[in-house]
Amino acid sequence: MAGSGPGLLLAHGAGGSVAANFGPLMAELTSAHRVVGVDYPGTGATPRTRTPLTLDTLADELVAAADAEGLETFAIAGYSLGTAVAVRAATRHPERVTALVLTAPFARLDTRTRLTAEVWRGLSVSRDRDTLARFLLPLALSPAALESLSPEALATALRETAETAPEGTADHVDLVTRTDTRADLPTLTAPTLVITTTEDQLIPPALQREVAASIPGARTAELATGHLPFAENPTEWQRLITDHVRRAAVRPGTAK
């Protein structure tokens, strides 16, 4: 995709894309890594599918993209739904994954989050983009970031949210409602960093911390942002990702 160096795969969130979720970090990531990402069906140039999405399929498509770039091993950075994709890729190809970074992760949904996802999916199907944007923005931003918006900035954010929602959003969110990687987490062997977005109104920090607690030896970090670290603190998010991948590459028993 871009850059040179050790492989780094990117798995984006529901209703997002590689560019939307990782774009603000891309210059720094590609300065040290061969970065590869795949947009899910219904996002960017990837057409929608007629069958329900599965984690296995998305994980295998991501690894296939690494194969196409000639990458035998790679780290994976997953965000939101992409954390479940990253976890599944690591369980299906454990010998190839050198490190995992899971930001705003969930292994399962609690009742509140499931109800929220069902409304999100329904609004996406209805194509009522204005209501969808007004529903999502308060969930996506931290309370402080939302309150700091001027009336003009709020109107712009709502318009951009409405205009950029991918056609496949409902399919992505449907997969969110079916995701359960709790059985995968204890089997992970790659060095893992779990980044909790502590002001997250969409994926509760308690669900994120459940993920960290279930992964043997997982390291943890916190970002005082809402669900969009790329919008609220991309510099620190990028630093956490690259520092962990670098640290994993020089752990005992690996080449420096």
Side-chain angles (χ1 to χ4, degrees):
M1 186 174 182
S4 61
L8 175 62
L9 311 189
L10 305 178
H12 68 78
S17 67
V18 174
N21 294 166
F22 293 99
L25 290 63
M26 200 63 74
E28 291 295 331
L29 295 180
T30 56
S31 69
H33 297 279
R34 180 62 176 168
V35 177
V36 175
V38 177
D39 285 336
Y40 305 151
T43 294
T46 308
R48 293 182 70 177
T49 64
R50 297 185 178 183
T51 57
L53 301 180
T54 70
L55 291 180
D56 287 355
T57 298
L58 296 184
D60 288 349
E61 288 175 350
L62 185 60
V63 172
D67 292 339
E69 295 293 329
L71 296 174
E72 294 186 4
T73 61
F74 39 77
I76 310 178
Y79 161 70
S80 194
L81 174 61
T83 64
V85 175
V87 165
R88 187 56 53 84
T91 59
R92 290 170 72 81
H93 307 276
E95 73 288 351
R96 302 185 65 181
V97 179
T98 59
L100 286 172
V101 181
L102 309 177
T103 303
F106 61 93
R108 53 103 190 178
L109 299 186
D110 60 11
T111 301
R112 184 188 74 81
T113 311
R114 180 174 300 281
L115 292 173
T116 298
E118 290 171 353
V119 174
W120 182 9
R121 179 178 58 191
L123 287 172
S124 299
V125 170
S126 75
R127 298 182 180 275
D128 183 351
R129 296 299 182 90
D130 181 66
T131 301
L132 175 63
R134 292 174 183 277
F135 173 74
L136 280 181
L137 196 63
L139 294 172
L141 293 176
S142 66
L146 182 67
E147 194 62 28
S148 72
L149 295 177
S150 67
E152 294 78 12
L154 176 60
T156 298
L158 288 170
R159 184 179 66 255
E160 291 178 349
T161 301
E163 291 176 350
T164 59
E167 288 298 314
T169 296
D171 302 331
H172 304 171
V173 182
D174 177 68
L175 178 56
V176 168
T177 67
R178 294 183 282 109
T179 291
D180 189 340
T181 59
R182 285 175 288 181
D184 296 324
L185 300 180
T187 72
L188 294 175
T189 57
T192 301
L193 173 66
V194 176
I195 303 174
T196 299
T197 43
T198 60
E199 303 302 311
D200 204 318
Q201 308 300 299
L202 182 61
I203 302 298
L207 287 184
Q208 301 184 43
R209 294 183 177 115
E210 277 186 11
V211 172
S214 300
I215 300 173
R219 298 177 57 236
T220 61
E222 294 187 346
L223 277 175
T225 71
H227 196 65
L228 309 181
F230 48 87
E232 295 189 39
N233 197 345
T235 300
E236 180 63 9
W237 188 31
Q238 173 267 314
R239 186 191 69 79
L240 289 171
I241 292 172
T242 53
D243 282 359
H244 176 71
V245 173
R246 185 181 305 112
R247 176 173 175 163
V250 298
R251 71 189 191 278
T254 64
K256 297 186 180 182

